[in-house]
Amino acid sequence: MSLYVTLQEECFEANMLLPEKKLVLYTFGNVSIVDRHKGVVAIKPSGVPYEELRPEDMVIVDMQGHIVLGHMRPSSDTKTHILLYNHFPRIGSIVHTHSTYAAAWAQAMRPIPNLGTTHADHLVSNIPCTGVMTDEMIKGDYETETGNQILEVFKNVSYEEVEMVLVACHGPFTWGKNAQKAIYNSVILEELAKMAYLTLQINPLTPTIKDTLIDKHYQRKHGKNAYYGQSY
Amino acid sequence: MSLYVTLQEECFEANMLLPEKKLVLYTFGNVSIVDRHKGVVAIKPSGVPYEELRPEDMVIVDMQGHIVLGHMRPSSDTKTHILLYNHFPRIGSIVHTHSTYAAAWAQAMRPIPNLGTTHADHLVSNIPCTGVMTDEMIKGDYETETGNQILEVFKNVSYEEVEMVLVACHGPFTWGKNAQKAIYNSVILEELAKMAYLTLQINPLTPTIKDTLIDKHYQRKHGKNAYYGQSY
Amino acid sequence: MSLYVTLQEECFEANMLLPEKKLVLYTFGNVSIVDRHKGVVAIKPSGVPYEELRPEDMVIVDMQGHIVLGHMRPSSDTKTHILLYNHFPRIGSIVHTHSTYAAAWAQAMRPIPNLGTTHADHLVSNIPCTGVMTDEMIKGDYETETGNQILEVFKNVSYEEVEMVLVACHGPFTWGKNAQKAIYNSVILEELAKMAYLTLQINPLTPTIKDTLIDKHYQRKHGKNAYYGQSY
Amino acid sequence: MSLYVTLQEECFEANMLLPEKKLVLYTFGNVSIVDRHKGVVAIKPSGVPYEELRPEDMVIVDMQGHIVLGHMRPSSDTKTHILLYNHFPRIGSIVHTHSTYAAAWAQAMRPIPNLGTTHADHLVSNIPCTGVMTDEMIKGDYETETGNQILEVFKNVSYEEVEMVLVACHGPFTWGKNAQKAIYNSVILEELAKMAYLTLQINPLTPTIKDTLIDKHYQRKHGKNAYYGQSY
């Protein structure tokens, strides 16, 4: 029996949450999970509909993206995932979707502003949007360059405080310490994207919320004196 | 067996209605119920997902917010609930959600105008929105100050006629004589928020409806000569 | 056994379609059915939630709106239904809802323009919106005056060709030869309301469609040489 | 037993996917499948609700649109389907719906611009919209002229690269090598229509995406060196 059966099963179950949470249509989207001890990543195979997916279809690749185990081609976004795992050492899982409202903001090439406490409960800053790639990047190693565009954003932003990003003209990537958190972040991002959209339709001049309020909500949930939740 | 088993069960069942009515995601939102004879409030524990919630997890606090019974930390919004129970003597239950359309209006810092009879069937005025808190209030006893912001609105408004409010930059609170009514008000508020949003998109200059029409609909349902419903 | 058991059952089943078709929340909305031979109308009782509704709760009223049979108060909109049955001799059922998009157009006091063939398949004209009632009408016999506002619209419009109307500041009424058709019209109206809303958001200057196209679609479905469907 | 039993069953199952995918209400929409060896097309009967539909109700017509087998009248759109099969020799199935967002773009008479990679994954160009028919065309052989309007668009566009079109003032048609692909295209079109709508609401000046990016995404999925999916 393979060394990677448990990892494949976890990755399978995580991927199956995407249609359940209504984040994807057909073959859209993918979840990967890293096992840093074994030095491998499990990821959805490319272009397989969720209803046909089986645990053993999950592809195992090494930290350079080479296939270690699997009878199928891995997600075409694999290089983006690998680059992020190599640069974000404390994340355990990455999710990519084309969820409707988040993708609309990505297409509009606009970061999602922090307009309320629902947003501030999850992150301090806006939800950043990458720049548009140059033609050279697109024609070159496209999926690695997608990762590079994301890294560019996180030069000045902590990937542990901001666990989500919009890739301009494309769609969202989220991550977290494990698959459950990375998927949670995709669900939250889609809701924040919808809420910000509606807010700006109601009042196009809505300002971002006060720094004190952002800080209060973020710290009560994530700070060292946090008092939200049970596990602090 | 605890004195509060029935109260915990009622509070549990009320909280479980929030995901069923699609008012919340994950751990968002909370319902509390007051027992004024015993001088206690039952409230959802902080940060526990609905699918893991059990009746015995409901936290019992006294009217100063101190824990009387419970193995978990109560909702981080407990102080807001307590303040409202102490100032609104005839309410029996409070609901807080981040439901999408109501939260969008709260983020836009706009009261929801009374644009039609669906609204007038439930309340005479617009749905008020609090002011934005000062930095001092936010840095101070934040959740109590959230309650104070709500009380400020109800200095000149009857909390028995208007059973809902938007907290600016945050989201809605609703209440009622019992949990069923408080949750009903959250569902209605979300629908009124969506309907008002669409109305102003169709015609940004839509006026609020005539006072005579507001009065007619409100009185036929809630006045002393009410003829809507069966129990008057 | 009552003379009206069958009528009550039909009316009950028709009312239960409203929540199934997602046209109503809680106690909103009502369906009535007329039996012109017996000279009576069956209608939903006022303010009863759908999940508690039973066939024997349907109230039977005569053509003046007086209760003939029933242990509950009839819908507060009964007089509006009665007036329409008395003036529209060939309709068999009336539906009133506060469905979201149709109510938004009613609140915006705008008729829904005929912008495409989905609309033209069902009616030739726009979906009319009544005028706003005077204070005297509102303070007087309000529900009868609601019916009068509708009749005003249909002075120059055929109620058999246009089986739906928006009551300004309120919401939609639809009707048809039987309950199935009246409910069908409520579902279609909600979809036309949403489609017209989106169309005008995409292109605020969208013109109404050509008369020739309206005529073609309406006639191929409803004209004497109709070739849509099986029953012509 | 009929020569066409299998074709009827396939066509029935394909039609039943339309309500399942929430692309249609009541009798709206239709799917046809061509059998080019037998020279026949199976198509939904006109105006029959999906819940009453049975495999044997599917009508078999020849390539001139004459009924070969069937006890019901075929879809009123049959001539449009036939014309497209005769001019698009490598398609196997056609779907017509009035899905909400796609129909709204058709009513707005606007092609759906290519604003992101979700779109570029499926087609290079925008999603074209036909011109508005002249009165003569409408009054003449309307359904054939609808097909002619579509053909006009595809004079300079490959029907194999762009498998979808909006008919102005009406709604979408999609096609594909088989029914599964044609329905897939209807689902994708509806999603692209919604995403483009939201994008332009967020940023009305959103440009179409770079040609290099369109090319990259389209080629990685559909080009001769495609590396998306498993079957290349």
Side-chain angles (χ1 to χ4, degrees):
Chain A
M1 200 170 85
S2 151
L3 273 169
Y4 308 115
V5 166
T6 308
L7 187 62
Q8 284 178 312
E9 277 172 5
E10 279 172 22
C11 187
F12 167 74
E13 277 165 31
N15 272 287
M16 292 309 286
L17 282 174
L18 298 190
E20 188 184 315
K21 295 292 187 184
K22 299 190 191 303
L23 293 167
V24 294
L25 290 174
Y26 292 106
T27 67
F28 293 15
N30 43 69
V31 182
S32 68
I33 302 179
V34 68
D35 181 328
R36 293 196 183 269
H37 294 292
K38 297 198 175 108
V40 295
V41 168
I43 192 164
K44 179 170 175 288
S46 183
V48 179
Y50 289 90
E51 58 267 37
E52 298 172 13
L53 213 57
R54 298 165 308 167
E56 61 267 33
D57 298 334
M58 300 299 112
V59 185
I60 305 294
V61 297
D62 67 19
M63 300 308 283
Q64 287 74 46
H66 301 124
I67 295 178
V68 171
L69 178 80
H71 55 280
M72 286 180 142
R73 193 183 283 175
S75 164
S76 56
D77 299 309
T78 300
K79 283 181 178 177
T80 312
H81 290 240
I82 293 292
L83 192 78
L84 295 182
Y85 284 124
N86 285 326
H87 284 80
F88 295 171
R90 282 180 295 281
I91 67 173
S93 177
I94 296 171
V95 177
H96 173 49
T97 79
H98 289 223
S99 68
T100 315
Y101 284 85
W105 281 91
Q107 293 191 159
M109 299 177 284
R110 293 255 171 103
I112 302 176
N114 189 340
L115 301 176
T117 62
T118 318
H119 188 128
D121 279 335
H122 296 95
L123 71 167
V124 168
S125 71
N126 62 23
I127 298 165
C129 184
T130 69
V132 175
M133 278 189 244
T134 63
D135 288 350
E136 286 64 41
M137 293 166 83
I138 294 169
K139 289 181 190 167
D141 188 358
Y142 173 67
E143 288 80 9
T144 300
E145 296 291 5
T146 300
N148 282 327
Q149 289 289 92
I150 295 173
L151 294 182
E152 190 70 23
V153 166
F154 285 87
K155 272 186 179 166
N156 303 307
V157 175
S158 161
Y159 75 85
E160 293 185 279
E161 288 186 9
V162 177
E163 297 184 319
M164 51 188 74
V165 70
L166 304 174
V167 175
C169 313
H170 189 150
F173 283 79
T174 68
W175 48 83
K177 63 183 176 185
N178 56 35
Q180 197 177 14
K181 186 66 193 309
I183 291 166
Y184 172 87
N185 285 334
S186 282
V187 173
I188 296 301
L189 167 53
E190 181 64 5
E191 178 68 7
L192 295 177
K194 183 174 184 183
M195 214 178 259
Y197 164 76
L198 293 171
T199 303
L200 293 174
Q201 293 283 317
I202 294 168
N203 179 4
L205 302 176
T206 305
T208 53
I209 63 169
K210 287 179 161 207
D211 286 346
T212 45
L213 193 52
I214 292 174
D215 194 55
K216 181 70 191 180
H217 268 262
Y218 192 76
Q219 295 303 329
R220 79 174 190 167
K221 200 160 176 180
H222 306 281
K224 71 175 160 47
N225 297 315
Y227 53 93
Y228 180 93
Q230 304 298 334
S231 51
Y232 294 95
Chain B
M1 201 169 84
S2 150
L3 274 168
Y4 308 115
V5 166
T6 308
L7 187 61
Q8 283 178 312
E9 277 173 5
E10 280 173 21
C11 187
F12 167 74
E13 277 164 32
N15 272 286
M16 293 308 286
L17 282 174
L18 298 190
E20 188 185 315
K21 295 291 187 185
K22 299 189 192 303
L23 293 167
V24 295
L25 290 173
Y26 292 105
T27 68
F28 294 15
N30 42 69
V31 183
S32 69
I33 302 179
V34 69
D35 181 327
R36 294 195 184 268
H37 294 293
K38 299 198 173 108
V40 296
V41 169
I43 192 164
K44 180 170 175 286
S46 183
V48 178
Y50 290 90
E51 59 268 35
E52 298 172 12
L53 213 57
R54 298 165 308 168
E56 61 267 34
D57 298 335
M58 299 301 111
V59 185
I60 305 294
V61 298
D62 68 19
M63 300 308 284
Q64 287 73 46
H66 301 123
I67 295 178
V68 171
L69 178 80
H71 54 280
M72 286 179 144
R73 192 183 285 175
S75 164
S76 56
D77 299 309
T78 301
K79 284 181 178 176
T80 314
H81 290 240
I82 293 293
L83 192 76
L84 295 182
Y85 284 124
N86 284 326
H87 284 79
F88 295 170
R90 282 180 295 281
I91 67 173
S93 178
I94 297 171
V95 177
H96 173 47
T97 79
H98 289 223
S99 68
T100 315
Y101 285 85
W105 281 91
Q107 294 192 157
M109 299 177 284
R110 294 255 171 102
I112 302 175
N114 189 341
L115 301 176
T117 62
T118 319
H119 188 128
D121 278 336
H122 296 93
L123 69 168
V124 167
S125 72
N126 62 23
I127 297 165
C129 184
T130 69
V132 176
M133 277 188 245
T134 63
D135 288 350
E136 287 63 41
M137 293 165 83
I138 294 168
K139 288 180 188 166
D141 188 358
Y142 174 66
E143 289 79 10
T144 300
E145 296 291 4
T146 299
N148 282 328
Q149 289 290 95
I150 294 172
L151 294 183
E152 190 70 23
V153 166
F154 286 86
K155 273 187 179 166
N156 303 308
V157 175
S158 161
Y159 74 86
E160 292 185 278
E161 287 186 9
V162 176
E163 297 184 319
M164 50 188 76
V165 71
L166 304 174
V167 175
C169 313
H170 189 149
F173 283 80
T174 68
W175 49 83
K177 62 183 176 183
N178 56 34
Q180 198 176 12
K181 185 68 193 307
I183 291 166
Y184 172 87
N185 284 334
S186 282
V187 173
I188 295 301
L189 167 53
E190 181 65 4
E191 178 69 6
L192 294 177
K194 183 173 184 185
M195 214 178 259
Y197 165 76
L198 293 170
T199 303
L200 292 174
Q201 293 284 316
I202 294 168
N203 179 3
L205 302 176
T206 305
T208 52
I209 63 169
K210 288 179 161 207
D211 287 345
T212 44
L213 193 52
I214 293 174
D215 194 56
K216 180 70 191 180
H217 268 263
Y218 192 75
Q219 295 304 330
R220 78 174 190 166
K221 200 161 175 179
H222 306 282
K224 69 174 159 50
N225 297 315
Y227 52 93
Y228 179 93
Q230 303 298 334
S231 51
Y232 294 96
Chain C
M1 202 170 83
S2 150
L3 274 169
Y4 309 115
V5 167
T6 308
L7 187 63
Q8 283 179 314
E9 277 172 5
E10 280 173 21
C11 186
F12 167 74
E13 276 164 33
N15 272 287
M16 293 308 287
L17 282 174
L18 298 190
E20 188 185 315
K21 295 292 187 184
K22 298 189 193 303
L23 293 168
V24 294
L25 290 173
Y26 293 104
T27 67
F28 293 16
N30 43 69
V31 183
S32 68
I33 302 179
V34 69
D35 181 328
R36 293 195 184 269
H37 294 293
K38 298 199 175 107
V40 295
V41 168
I43 192 163
K44 180 170 174 287
S46 183
V48 178
Y50 290 91
E51 59 267 38
E52 299 173 13
L53 213 57
R54 298 165 307 168
E56 61 268 34
D57 297 335
M58 299 301 112
V59 185
I60 306 292
V61 296
D62 67 19
M63 300 308 283
Q64 287 74 46
H66 300 124
I67 296 179
V68 171
L69 178 80
H71 55 281
M72 287 179 142
R73 193 183 284 175
S75 164
S76 57
D77 299 309
T78 301
K79 283 182 179 175
T80 313
H81 288 241
I82 293 292
L83 193 76
L84 295 182
Y85 284 124
N86 284 327
H87 285 79
F88 295 171
R90 282 180 294 282
I91 66 174
S93 177
I94 297 171
V95 176
H96 172 49
T97 80
H98 290 222
S99 68
T100 315
Y101 285 85
W105 281 92
Q107 293 191 159
M109 297 177 285
R110 293 254 172 103
I112 302 176
N114 189 341
L115 300 176
T117 62
T118 318
H119 189 128
D121 279 336
H122 296 93
L123 69 168
V124 168
S125 72
N126 62 22
I127 298 165
C129 184
T130 69
V132 176
M133 278 189 245
T134 63
D135 288 350
E136 286 63 40
M137 292 165 83
I138 295 169
K139 288 180 189 166
D141 187 359
Y142 174 66
E143 289 79 10
T144 300
E145 296 292 4
T146 301
N148 281 328
Q149 288 290 94
I150 295 173
L151 294 183
E152 189 70 22
V153 166
F154 285 86
K155 273 187 180 165
N156 303 306
V157 175
S158 160
Y159 74 85
E160 292 184 279
E161 287 187 9
V162 177
E163 298 184 319
M164 50 188 75
V165 71
L166 305 174
V167 174
C169 313
H170 190 149
F173 282 79
T174 68
W175 49 84
K177 63 183 175 185
N178 56 34
Q180 198 176 13
K181 185 68 193 308
I183 291 167
Y184 172 88
N185 284 334
S186 282
V187 173
I188 295 302
L189 168 54
E190 181 64 4
E191 179 68 7
L192 295 177
K194 183 173 184 183
M195 213 178 258
Y197 164 76
L198 293 170
T199 303
L200 293 174
Q201 293 284 315
I202 293 169
N203 179 3
L205 302 176
T206 305
T208 53
I209 63 170
K210 287 178 162 208
D211 286 345
T212 45
L213 193 52
I214 292 174
D215 194 57
K216 181 70 191 180
H217 268 262
Y218 192 75
Q219 295 303 330
R220 77 175 191 167
K221 203 162 175 178
H222 306 280
K224 70 174 159 51
N225 296 315
Y227 53 93
Y228 179 93
Q230 303 298 333
S231 50
Y232 293 97
Chain D
M1 201 170 85
S2 149
L3 273 169
Y4 308 115
V5 166
T6 307
L7 187 62
Q8 283 178 313
E9 276 173 5
E10 279 173 22
C11 186
F12 167 74
E13 276 164 31
N15 272 287
M16 293 308 286
L17 282 174
L18 298 190
E20 187 184 316
K21 296 292 187 184
K22 299 189 192 302
L23 293 168
V24 294
L25 290 173
Y26 292 105
T27 67
F28 294 15
N30 43 69
V31 183
S32 69
I33 302 179
V34 68
D35 182 328
R36 293 197 184 268
H37 294 292
K38 297 200 176 106
V40 294
V41 168
I43 192 163
K44 180 170 174 289
S46 183
V48 178
Y50 289 91
E51 59 267 36
E52 298 173 12
L53 213 56
R54 299 166 306 168
E56 61 267 33
D57 297 334
M58 300 300 112
V59 185
I60 305 295
V61 296
D62 67 20
M63 301 308 283
Q64 287 74 45
H66 300 124
I67 295 179
V68 171
L69 179 80
H71 54 281
M72 286 180 143
R73 193 183 285 176
S75 164
S76 57
D77 299 309
T78 300
K79 284 182 178 176
T80 313
H81 289 242
I82 293 292
L83 192 77
L84 295 182
Y85 284 125
N86 285 326
H87 285 79
F88 295 171
R90 281 180 295 282
I91 66 173
S93 177
I94 297 171
V95 177
H96 173 49
T97 79
H98 289 223
S99 68
T100 315
Y101 285 85
W105 280 92
Q107 292 191 159
M109 298 178 283
R110 293 256 172 102
I112 302 175
N114 189 341
L115 300 176
T117 62
T118 317
H119 188 128
D121 279 336
H122 295 94
L123 69 168
V124 168
S125 71
N126 61 23
I127 297 164
C129 184
T130 68
V132 176
M133 278 189 244
T134 63
D135 289 349
E136 286 64 39
M137 292 166 84
I138 295 169
K139 289 181 190 166
D141 188 358
Y142 174 67
E143 289 79 10
T144 300
E145 296 291 5
T146 300
N148 282 329
Q149 289 289 93
I150 294 173
L151 294 182
E152 190 70 22
V153 166
F154 285 87
K155 272 187 179 164
N156 302 306
V157 175
S158 160
Y159 74 85
E160 292 185 280
E161 288 186 9
V162 177
E163 296 183 321
M164 51 189 73
V165 70
L166 304 174
V167 175
C169 313
H170 189 149
F173 282 80
T174 68
W175 48 84
K177 63 182 174 186
N178 55 36
Q180 197 176 14
K181 186 67 194 310
I183 291 167
Y184 173 88
N185 285 334
S186 282
V187 173
I188 296 302
L189 167 53
E190 181 63 6
E191 179 69 7
L192 295 177
K194 183 174 184 183
M195 213 178 259
Y197 165 76
L198 293 171
T199 303
L200 293 174
Q201 293 283 316
I202 293 169
N203 180 2
L205 301 176
T206 305
T208 54
I209 64 170
K210 287 178 161 209
D211 286 345
T212 45
L213 193 51
I214 293 174
D215 194 57
K216 181 69 190 180
H217 268 262
Y218 191 76
Q219 295 303 328
R220 80 174 189 167
K221 201 161 176 180
H222 306 281
K224 70 174 161 49
N225 297 314
Y227 53 93
Y228 179 93
Q230 304 298 334
S231 50
Y232 295 96

